[in-house]
Short mmCIF file of all heavy atoms in Angstrom, two decimals:
data_model
loop_
_atom_site.label_atom_id
_atom_site.label_comp_id
_atom_site.label_asym_id
_atom_site.label_seq_id
_atom_site.Cartn_x
_atom_site.Cartn_y
_atom_site.Cartn_z
N GLU A 6 0.84 -1.21 0.00
CA GLU A 6 0.00 0.00 0.00
C GLU A 6 0.87 1.25 0.00
O GLU A 6 0.52 2.26 -0.60
CB GLU A 6 -0.94 0.05 1.21
CG GLU A 6 -1.92 1.20 1.05
CD GLU A 6 -2.70 1.59 2.30
OE1 GLU A 6 -2.65 0.87 3.30
OE2 GLU A 6 -3.35 2.64 2.25
N PHE A 7 2.02 1.17 0.66
CA PHE A 7 2.83 2.39 0.80
C PHE A 7 3.73 2.67 -0.41
O PHE A 7 3.87 3.82 -0.82
CB PHE A 7 3.71 2.32 2.05
CG PHE A 7 4.51 3.59 2.22
CD1 PHE A 7 3.91 4.71 2.78
CD2 PHE A 7 5.80 3.70 1.74
CE1 PHE A 7 4.61 5.91 2.87
CE2 PHE A 7 6.51 4.89 1.83
CZ PHE A 7 5.90 6.00 2.40
N THR A 8 4.33 1.64 -0.98
CA THR A 8 5.40 1.88 -1.95
C THR A 8 4.97 2.65 -3.20
O THR A 8 5.81 3.35 -3.79
CB THR A 8 6.11 0.54 -2.30
OG1 THR A 8 7.39 0.83 -2.85
CG2 THR A 8 5.29 -0.29 -3.26
N PRO A 9 3.68 2.63 -3.63
CA PRO A 9 3.32 3.49 -4.78
C PRO A 9 3.53 4.97 -4.51
O PRO A 9 3.61 5.77 -5.45
CB PRO A 9 1.83 3.18 -5.02
CG PRO A 9 1.58 1.90 -4.32
CD PRO A 9 2.55 1.79 -3.21
N MET A 10 3.61 5.36 -3.23
CA MET A 10 3.80 6.78 -2.92
C MET A 10 5.14 7.31 -3.44
O MET A 10 5.32 8.52 -3.57
CB MET A 10 3.70 7.01 -1.41
CG MET A 10 2.30 6.78 -0.88
SD MET A 10 2.08 7.43 0.78
CE MET A 10 0.45 6.81 1.17
N CYS A 11 6.07 6.40 -3.73
CA CYS A 11 7.34 6.83 -4.35
C CYS A 11 7.11 7.31 -5.78
O CYS A 11 7.98 7.95 -6.36
CB CYS A 11 8.34 5.67 -4.36
SG CYS A 11 8.87 5.15 -2.72
N THR A 12 5.95 7.00 -6.33
CA THR A 12 5.66 7.36 -7.72
C THR A 12 4.54 8.38 -7.84
O THR A 12 4.67 9.36 -8.57
CB THR A 12 5.27 6.08 -8.52
OG1 THR A 12 6.25 5.08 -8.30
CG2 THR A 12 5.18 6.38 -9.99
N TYR A 13 3.41 8.16 -7.12
CA TYR A 13 2.31 9.08 -7.38
C TYR A 13 2.49 10.42 -6.69
O TYR A 13 3.27 10.57 -5.78
CB TYR A 13 0.94 8.45 -7.16
CG TYR A 13 0.54 7.94 -5.81
CD1 TYR A 13 0.46 8.76 -4.70
CD2 TYR A 13 0.16 6.61 -5.69
CE1 TYR A 13 0.02 8.27 -3.48
CE2 TYR A 13 -0.28 6.11 -4.47
CZ TYR A 13 -0.34 6.95 -3.38
OH TYR A 13 -0.78 6.46 -2.18
N GLU A 14 1.75 11.39 -7.25
CA GLU A 14 1.94 12.81 -6.91
C GLU A 14 3.36 13.27 -7.24
O GLU A 14 3.90 14.16 -6.60
CB GLU A 14 1.62 13.10 -5.43
CG GLU A 14 0.19 12.80 -5.06
CD GLU A 14 -0.80 13.26 -6.10
OE1 GLU A 14 -0.82 14.45 -6.43
OE2 GLU A 14 -1.57 12.44 -6.61
N GLY A 15 3.95 12.65 -8.23
CA GLY A 15 5.27 13.04 -8.68
C GLY A 15 6.29 11.95 -8.41
O GLY A 15 6.53 11.59 -7.26
N GLU A 16 6.89 11.40 -9.47
CA GLU A 16 7.95 10.39 -9.32
C GLU A 16 9.11 11.01 -8.55
O GLU A 16 9.48 12.16 -8.76
CB GLU A 16 8.38 9.93 -10.71
CG GLU A 16 9.25 8.69 -10.73
CD GLU A 16 10.70 8.99 -10.42
OE1 GLU A 16 11.20 10.07 -10.79
OE2 GLU A 16 11.35 8.13 -9.80
N ASN A 17 9.68 10.25 -7.62
CA ASN A 17 10.58 10.84 -6.63
C ASN A 17 11.82 11.52 -7.19
O ASN A 17 12.24 12.57 -6.69
CB ASN A 17 11.00 9.77 -5.61
CG ASN A 17 9.96 9.59 -4.53
OD1 ASN A 17 8.95 10.29 -4.49
ND2 ASN A 17 10.18 8.65 -3.62
N THR A 18 12.44 10.93 -8.21
CA THR A 18 13.63 11.58 -8.77
C THR A 18 13.26 12.94 -9.35
O THR A 18 13.99 13.93 -9.17
CB THR A 18 14.27 10.69 -9.86
OG1 THR A 18 14.62 9.43 -9.27
CG2 THR A 18 15.52 11.33 -10.44
N VAL A 19 12.13 13.00 -10.04
CA VAL A 19 11.67 14.27 -10.61
C VAL A 19 11.34 15.26 -9.49
O VAL A 19 11.62 16.46 -9.61
CB VAL A 19 10.45 14.04 -11.53
CG1 VAL A 19 9.94 15.36 -12.10
CG2 VAL A 19 10.81 13.08 -12.66
N MET A 20 10.76 14.76 -8.40
CA MET A 20 10.47 15.64 -7.25
C MET A 20 11.75 16.24 -6.69
O MET A 20 11.82 17.44 -6.37
CB MET A 20 9.75 14.86 -6.15
CG MET A 20 8.35 14.39 -6.49
SD MET A 20 7.19 15.75 -6.79
CE MET A 20 7.37 15.94 -8.55
N MET A 21 12.78 15.40 -6.55
CA MET A 21 14.07 15.89 -6.05
C MET A 21 14.66 16.95 -6.99
O MET A 21 15.24 17.95 -6.54
CB MET A 21 15.05 14.73 -5.89
CG MET A 21 14.81 13.91 -4.64
SD MET A 21 15.04 14.87 -3.12
CE MET A 21 15.20 13.58 -1.91
N LEU A 22 14.49 16.76 -8.28
CA LEU A 22 15.00 17.73 -9.25
C LEU A 22 14.20 19.04 -9.19
O LEU A 22 14.76 20.12 -9.42
CB LEU A 22 14.99 17.14 -10.67
CG LEU A 22 16.04 16.04 -10.90
CD1 LEU A 22 15.78 15.32 -12.22
CD2 LEU A 22 17.44 16.63 -10.89
N GLN A 23 12.91 18.95 -8.88
CA GLN A 23 12.12 20.19 -8.71
C GLN A 23 12.63 20.98 -7.51
O GLN A 23 12.78 22.20 -7.56
CB GLN A 23 10.64 19.85 -8.52
CG GLN A 23 9.95 19.45 -9.80
CD GLN A 23 8.44 19.31 -9.63
OE1 GLN A 23 7.87 19.72 -8.62
NE2 GLN A 23 7.79 18.73 -10.63
N THR A 24 12.91 20.27 -6.42
CA THR A 24 13.48 20.93 -5.24
C THR A 24 14.84 21.53 -5.57
O THR A 24 15.17 22.65 -5.16
CB THR A 24 13.59 19.93 -4.07
OG1 THR A 24 12.29 19.42 -3.79
CG2 THR A 24 14.16 20.58 -2.83
N ALA A 25 15.63 20.77 -6.34
CA ALA A 25 16.97 21.26 -6.74
C ALA A 25 16.87 22.55 -7.54
O ALA A 25 17.71 23.45 -7.39
CB ALA A 25 17.69 20.18 -7.55
N ARG A 26 15.85 22.64 -8.39
CA ARG A 26 15.69 23.87 -9.20
C ARG A 26 15.51 25.09 -8.28
O ARG A 26 16.08 26.15 -8.52
CB ARG A 26 14.49 23.71 -10.13
CG ARG A 26 14.48 24.65 -11.32
CD ARG A 26 13.37 24.28 -12.30
NE ARG A 26 13.61 23.05 -12.99
CZ ARG A 26 14.40 22.93 -14.07
NH1 ARG A 26 15.05 23.97 -14.54
NH2 ARG A 26 14.55 21.76 -14.66
N TYR A 27 14.75 24.89 -7.22
CA TYR A 27 14.53 25.98 -6.26
C TYR A 27 15.82 26.29 -5.50
O TYR A 27 16.14 27.46 -5.26
CB TYR A 27 13.42 25.56 -5.29
CG TYR A 27 13.11 26.59 -4.23
CD1 TYR A 27 12.46 27.79 -4.54
CD2 TYR A 27 13.47 26.38 -2.89
CE1 TYR A 27 12.17 28.73 -3.57
CE2 TYR A 27 13.18 27.31 -1.92
CZ TYR A 27 12.53 28.49 -2.26
OH TYR A 27 12.25 29.42 -1.29
N LEU A 28 16.56 25.25 -5.13
CA LEU A 28 17.81 25.45 -4.39
C LEU A 28 18.85 26.18 -5.23
O LEU A 28 19.53 27.09 -4.75
CB LEU A 28 18.37 24.10 -3.92
CG LEU A 28 17.55 23.34 -2.87
CD1 LEU A 28 18.09 21.94 -2.66
CD2 LEU A 28 17.51 24.10 -1.55
N VAL A 29 18.97 25.78 -6.50
CA VAL A 29 19.94 26.44 -7.40
C VAL A 29 19.55 27.91 -7.61
O VAL A 29 20.40 28.81 -7.57
CB VAL A 29 20.03 25.69 -8.75
CG1 VAL A 29 20.80 26.50 -9.79
CG2 VAL A 29 20.68 24.33 -8.54
N LYS A 30 18.26 28.13 -7.82
CA LYS A 30 17.77 29.51 -7.99
C LYS A 30 18.08 30.33 -6.74
O LYS A 30 18.53 31.48 -6.82
CB LYS A 30 16.27 29.48 -8.27
CG LYS A 30 15.65 30.86 -8.54
CD LYS A 30 14.15 30.73 -8.78
CE LYS A 30 13.51 32.10 -8.95
NZ LYS A 30 12.04 32.00 -9.08
N SER A 31 17.83 29.74 -5.57
CA SER A 31 18.09 30.44 -4.30
C SER A 31 19.58 30.74 -4.14
O SER A 31 19.97 31.84 -3.72
CB SER A 31 17.60 29.59 -3.12
OG SER A 31 16.21 29.36 -3.21
N TYR A 32 20.41 29.76 -4.47
CA TYR A 32 21.87 29.95 -4.36
C TYR A 32 22.33 31.09 -5.26
O TYR A 32 23.15 31.93 -4.86
CB TYR A 32 22.59 28.65 -4.73
CG TYR A 32 24.09 28.78 -4.71
CD1 TYR A 32 24.80 28.69 -3.51
CD2 TYR A 32 24.81 29.00 -5.89
CE1 TYR A 32 26.18 28.82 -3.48
CE2 TYR A 32 26.19 29.13 -5.87
CZ TYR A 32 26.86 29.04 -4.66
OH TYR A 32 28.23 29.18 -4.64
N ARG A 33 21.78 31.13 -6.47
CA ARG A 33 22.17 32.21 -7.41
C ARG A 33 21.69 33.57 -6.93
O ARG A 33 22.36 34.58 -7.16
CB ARG A 33 21.63 31.89 -8.81
CG ARG A 33 22.40 30.77 -9.50
CD ARG A 33 21.76 30.34 -10.81
NE ARG A 33 22.59 29.36 -11.51
CZ ARG A 33 22.18 28.59 -12.49
NH1 ARG A 33 20.91 28.67 -12.90
NH2 ARG A 33 22.99 27.74 -13.08
N GLN A 34 20.54 33.59 -6.25
CA GLN A 34 20.07 34.86 -5.68
C GLN A 34 21.04 35.38 -4.63
O GLN A 34 21.32 36.58 -4.56
CB GLN A 34 18.67 34.67 -5.06
CG GLN A 34 17.57 34.53 -6.09
CD GLN A 34 16.22 34.17 -5.47
OE1 GLN A 34 16.16 33.58 -4.38
NE2 GLN A 34 15.14 34.50 -6.14
N VAL A 35 21.58 34.47 -3.82
CA VAL A 35 22.58 34.85 -2.82
C VAL A 35 23.82 35.41 -3.51
O VAL A 35 24.38 36.44 -3.10
CB VAL A 35 22.95 33.65 -1.92
CG1 VAL A 35 24.18 33.96 -1.06
CG2 VAL A 35 21.78 33.27 -1.03
N LYS A 36 24.24 34.74 -4.58
CA LYS A 36 25.43 35.20 -5.34
C LYS A 36 25.21 36.60 -5.91
O LYS A 36 26.15 37.37 -6.09
CB LYS A 36 25.74 34.22 -6.48
CG LYS A 36 26.15 32.83 -6.03
CD LYS A 36 27.54 32.79 -5.43
CE LYS A 36 28.60 32.77 -6.52
NZ LYS A 36 29.96 32.64 -5.94
N ASP A 37 23.94 36.91 -6.18
CA ASP A 37 23.61 38.24 -6.72
C ASP A 37 23.38 39.28 -5.62
O ASP A 37 22.93 40.39 -5.89
CB ASP A 37 22.35 38.15 -7.60
CG ASP A 37 22.61 37.37 -8.88
OD1 ASP A 37 23.79 37.25 -9.28
OD2 ASP A 37 21.63 36.87 -9.47
N GLY A 38 23.63 38.87 -4.37
CA GLY A 38 23.56 39.84 -3.27
C GLY A 38 22.25 39.88 -2.52
O GLY A 38 22.06 40.72 -1.65
N GLN A 39 21.32 38.96 -2.84
CA GLN A 39 20.04 38.96 -2.13
C GLN A 39 20.15 38.17 -0.83
O GLN A 39 20.98 37.26 -0.72
CB GLN A 39 18.95 38.33 -3.00
CG GLN A 39 18.63 39.12 -4.26
CD GLN A 39 17.49 38.45 -5.04
OE1 GLN A 39 16.50 38.02 -4.47
NE2 GLN A 39 17.64 38.37 -6.35
N GLN A 40 19.32 38.52 0.15
CA GLN A 40 19.25 37.78 1.42
C GLN A 40 18.02 36.87 1.38
O GLN A 40 16.92 37.34 1.11
CB GLN A 40 19.14 38.75 2.60
CG GLN A 40 20.48 39.33 3.03
CD GLN A 40 21.35 38.31 3.75
OE1 GLN A 40 22.36 37.86 3.18
NE2 GLN A 40 20.98 37.92 4.94
N LEU A 41 18.23 35.59 1.65
CA LEU A 41 17.13 34.64 1.63
C LEU A 41 16.50 34.53 3.01
O LEU A 41 17.16 34.71 4.03
CB LEU A 41 17.63 33.25 1.21
CG LEU A 41 18.32 33.12 -0.15
CD1 LEU A 41 18.86 31.72 -0.33
CD2 LEU A 41 17.35 33.45 -1.28
N SER A 42 15.21 34.18 3.03
CA SER A 42 14.53 33.88 4.29
C SER A 42 13.98 32.47 4.19
O SER A 42 14.10 31.80 3.17
CB SER A 42 13.40 34.88 4.54
OG SER A 42 12.46 34.82 3.48
N GLY A 43 13.38 31.99 5.27
CA GLY A 43 12.75 30.66 5.24
C GLY A 43 13.77 29.55 5.39
O GLY A 43 14.90 29.74 5.84
N ILE A 44 13.38 28.36 4.96
CA ILE A 44 14.16 27.15 5.20
C ILE A 44 15.48 27.13 4.45
O ILE A 44 16.40 26.40 4.79
CB ILE A 44 13.29 25.89 4.89
CG1 ILE A 44 13.74 24.69 5.74
CG2 ILE A 44 13.32 25.57 3.42
CD1 ILE A 44 13.09 24.61 7.07
N VAL A 45 15.61 27.94 3.38
CA VAL A 45 16.87 27.97 2.61
C VAL A 45 17.79 29.10 3.03
O VAL A 45 18.79 29.36 2.38
CB VAL A 45 16.60 28.09 1.08
CG1 VAL A 45 16.01 26.82 0.53
CG2 VAL A 45 15.73 29.28 0.77
N SER A 46 17.47 29.75 4.14
CA SER A 46 18.28 30.91 4.56
C SER A 46 19.72 30.52 4.86
O SER A 46 20.61 31.38 4.84
CB SER A 46 17.65 31.58 5.78
OG SER A 46 17.54 30.66 6.84
N TYR A 47 19.97 29.22 5.11
CA TYR A 47 21.35 28.80 5.37
C TYR A 47 22.27 29.05 4.17
O TYR A 47 23.49 29.13 4.32
CB TYR A 47 21.41 27.32 5.78
CG TYR A 47 21.01 26.33 4.71
CD1 TYR A 47 21.95 25.82 3.82
CD2 TYR A 47 19.69 25.89 4.58
CE1 TYR A 47 21.59 24.90 2.85
CE2 TYR A 47 19.33 24.97 3.62
CZ TYR A 47 20.28 24.47 2.75
OH TYR A 47 19.92 23.56 1.78
N LEU A 48 21.69 29.19 2.98
CA LEU A 48 22.52 29.45 1.79
C LEU A 48 23.11 30.86 1.82
O LEU A 48 24.04 31.15 1.07
CB LEU A 48 21.70 29.24 0.51
CG LEU A 48 21.26 27.79 0.24
CD1 LEU A 48 20.34 27.73 -0.96
CD2 LEU A 48 22.47 26.88 0.04
N ASN A 49 22.57 31.74 2.67
CA ASN A 49 23.16 33.08 2.81
C ASN A 49 24.61 32.99 3.23
O ASN A 49 25.41 33.87 2.91
CB ASN A 49 22.39 33.90 3.87
CG ASN A 49 20.99 34.25 3.42
OD1 ASN A 49 20.74 34.45 2.23
ND2 ASN A 49 20.06 34.31 4.36
N GLU A 50 24.96 31.93 3.95
CA GLU A 50 26.32 31.78 4.46
C GLU A 50 27.28 31.27 3.40
O GLU A 50 28.49 31.27 3.60
CB GLU A 50 26.32 30.81 5.65
CG GLU A 50 25.42 31.26 6.79
CD GLU A 50 25.13 30.12 7.76
OE1 GLU A 50 25.98 29.24 7.91
OE2 GLU A 50 24.03 30.13 8.37
N ALA A 51 26.72 30.81 2.27
CA ALA A 51 27.57 30.20 1.23
C ALA A 51 28.62 31.18 0.70
O ALA A 51 29.71 30.78 0.30
CB ALA A 51 26.71 29.68 0.09
#
């Protein structure tokens, strides 16, 4: 019953890549001098 959850509502590898897109965008914003808030604020220290 549980294992289909790795696929539905988004196949997991694709889900990880969607999160990565946000992380890369956030990292580039820091490089451009912006300050991040929320759960990715740790990238400000990068």
Side-chain angles (χ1 to χ4, degrees):
E6 189 194 350
F7 182 81
T8 200
M10 292 194 187
C11 294
T12 309
Y13 61 61
E14 298 318 303
E16 192 279 327
N17 278 357
T18 301
V19 179
M20 292 297 92
M21 282 297 197
L22 289 169
Q23 284 188 12
T24 301
R26 200 172 290 279
Y27 179 71
L28 293 171
V29 169
K30 183 181 176 184
S31 299
Y32 177 81
R33 287 173 174 163
Q34 286 173 335
V35 169
K36 295 287 280 183
D37 291 339
Q39 295 183 43
Q40 279 288 109
L41 301 174
S42 60
I44 208 87
V45 290
S46 59
Y47 66 89
L48 293 174
N49 292 327
E50 302 163 30

